Amino acid sequence: VYDPEAEIVYWGVGNGGPWMGDRRPGDNLYVASVIGMDLETGVIENHYQYTPNESWDWDEVNGPLLIDLPRGGQTVPGLVHAGRNGVLYFIERTADGQLDFIDHRDFVYADWYESVSEDGYFTPKAASKPGSGFVGEFCPSFAGGVDWPSLAYSPDTNYLYIPANENLCGRMSGGTVVEYVPGQNFTRGTTASGS
């Protein structure tokens, strides 16, 4: 998605491998994120990570929508994204080229997180996060609150259209440790969906 005024192109970023975040300690910068890159140089100018240390297969490969948003009695350049994690994000594209979290809404049933900080950092519930030898139970499922079909927005109606997956929850645990081999499966997760 291209912002011609800032000359920044926004890309959605996939998940890490293996899926289980306990095999990749830390937030894993840029995993399950949006990154804004300078169109001419390719330098990353800004980013926002939707799901730190993403462990559920909620890759965020869809680009966001660039929509003006109300904030503090004014209209600001916004970035809107319906995440595979079931969360709808409202983010401001600031005058200095940064991305500032404004707010969020669950657009499907999402029970995987316990808190959200003022700057938009989502802390997962321990029982919801799958790990190596540990079953996490969470909503939405690994299929996501939305999958790969894109969102749409109508400026005439001010409606956002989300091709959502509702009422799907799942379970996942990590498998055995495996060495990375190019071209081979590196997920190492065992999944099961339910309702």
Side-chain angles (χ1 to χ4, degrees), residues 100-142:
D100 285 352
F101 177 81
I102 297 174
D103 203 355
H104 76 287
R105 301 276 185 281
D106 296 348
F107 65 91
V108 295
Y109 181 65
D111 70 353
W112 64 273
Y113 64 93
E114 65 181 31
S115 64
V116 184
S117 69
E118 261 187 49
D119 63 351
Y121 187 91
F122 284 69
T123 301
K125 292 179 183 173
S128 294
K129 187 172 181 180
S132 300
F134 175 77
V135 175
E137 297 188 13
F138 49 89
C139 303
S141 76
F142 68 94

Side-chain angles (χ1 to χ4, degrees), residues 29-185:
L29 185 61
Y30 306 132
V31 166
S33 299
V34 59
I35 57 172
M37 299 186 309
D38 182 281
L39 183 64
E40 297 297 324
T41 66
V43 170
I44 296 176
E45 298 290 339
N46 57 42
H47 78 282
Y48 175 81
Q49 190 168 39
Y50 304 114
T51 312
N53 190 247
E54 194 284 312
S55 301
W56 298 265
D57 187 30
W58 292 329
D59 48 293
E60 298 296 353
V61 295
N62 282 338
L65 297 177
L66 304 184
I67 304 170
D68 290 341
L69 298 171
R71 185 174 195 187
Q74 298 180 334
T75 300
V76 298
L79 182 148
V80 177
H81 179 72
R84 292 197 60 210
N85 61 15
V87 177
L88 181 62
Y89 295 87
F90 303 95
I91 298 169
E92 179 181 356
R93 295 174 287 132
T94 68
D96 64 354
Q98 298 308 302
L99 298 178
D100 285 352
F101 177 81
I102 297 174
D103 203 355
H104 76 287
R105 301 276 185 281
D106 296 348
F107 65 91
V108 295
Y109 181 65
D111 70 353
W112 64 273
Y113 64 93
E114 65 181 31
S115 64
V116 184
S117 69
E118 261 187 49
D119 63 351
Y121 187 91
F122 284 69
T123 301
K125 292 179 183 173
S128 294
K129 187 172 181 180
S132 300
F134 175 77
V135 175
E137 297 188 13
F138 49 89
C139 303
S141 76
F142 68 94
V146 63
D147 207 347
W148 292 5
S150 297
L151 315 181
Y153 171 72
S154 168
D156 293 334
T157 62
N158 200 33
Y159 281 8
L160 182 66
Y161 298 90
I162 304 172
N165 300 321
E166 179 62 285
N167 296 321
L168 296 174
C169 297
R171 303 170 42 125
M172 186 184 309
S173 67
T176 59
V177 178
V178 64
E179 292 295 318
Y180 173 72
V181 177
Q184 299 297 314
N185 185 323

